[in-house]
Amino acid sequence: RKLKKKDVPLLYWASASALGAFSLDPFDPAASRHLASAVAMLERALALDPDWNYGALHELVIQLSPSLPEALGGGIIRAERAYKQALAAAGGLRASPHVSYASSVCVGRQDYAAFREALEAALAVDPDADPSGRLANIIAQRNARRLLASAPQLFLILE
């Protein structure tokens, strides 16, 4: 409760780094012991400033939610809601929410049509529309192209 809106960047990066460490090796006790704290920091950041940094918090939820049970604040429904919230917060200036959704939700559901639609939306973002996000958009679009090329390995049936 002592954390305020000014602390959201710290909460985001602490949460993202702990979740990243856990994703590298979910069987590492040192990484897994910080999982609950990482989720709590993310939830606190969302409560303080949900649209911070063009929806970066929502994007982290997109990536995390499909791997967590609903009882722990996860699930596909939450990821889909976070995707819509991230898109609204980004205002069309960020490609990364589309890439996160395609890789985290669409692949898991084996929904190739939604996967392709999301990645095409990512590729349609103009990287030069917002100079502060140019590099991030270029990287996200590179990932979108890589994912589209990898579709035959990611999906059992392509439509």
Side-chain angles (χ1 to χ4, degrees):
R1 292 184 182 193
K2 292 181 181 181
L3 297 167
K4 303 296 180 207
K5 190 172 182 174
K6 67 177 180 54
D7 300 310
V8 168
L10 174 66
L11 289 166
Y12 171 81
W13 287 110
S15 179
S17 62
L19 293 168
F22 175 77
S23 73
L24 290 174
D25 186 0
F27 297 108
D28 177 9
S32 61
R33 73 177 176 188
H34 299 294
L35 186 57
S37 297
V39 173
M41 286 186 283
L42 175 58
E43 295 296 346
R44 179 65 177 147
L46 281 164
L48 291 169
D49 190 3
D51 294 337
W52 173 78
N53 195 23
Y54 296 94
L57 297 167
H58 297 300
E59 191 172 340
L60 196 51
V61 172
I62 296 166
Q63 296 166 4
L64 175 65
S65 289
S67 62
L68 287 178
E70 289 181 22
L72 295 178
I76 295 296
I77 293 171
R78 182 160 189 211
E80 289 173 339
R81 189 174 348 112
Y83 177 53
K84 291 175 185 170
Q85 292 168 322
L87 293 180
L93 296 175
R94 296 291 187 265
S96 56
H98 299 292
V99 177
S100 293
Y101 178 73
S103 62
S104 297
V105 176
C106 299
V107 172
R109 284 193 333 211
Q110 288 292 288
D111 185 346
Y112 177 71
F115 173 84
R116 185 171 182 84
E117 182 180 334
L119 295 177
E120 287 174 352
L123 294 172
V125 171
D126 178 6
D128 296 319
D130 177 31
S132 71
R134 186 174 191 283
L135 178 60
N137 281 328
I138 289 169
I139 292 169
Q141 289 176 334
R142 184 177 297 157
N143 286 334
R145 287 184 197 91
R146 178 187 53 78
L147 285 166
L148 282 169
S150 301
Q153 290 80 39
L154 299 172
F155 291 89
L156 297 174
I157 300 173
L158 296 178
E159 298 170 4

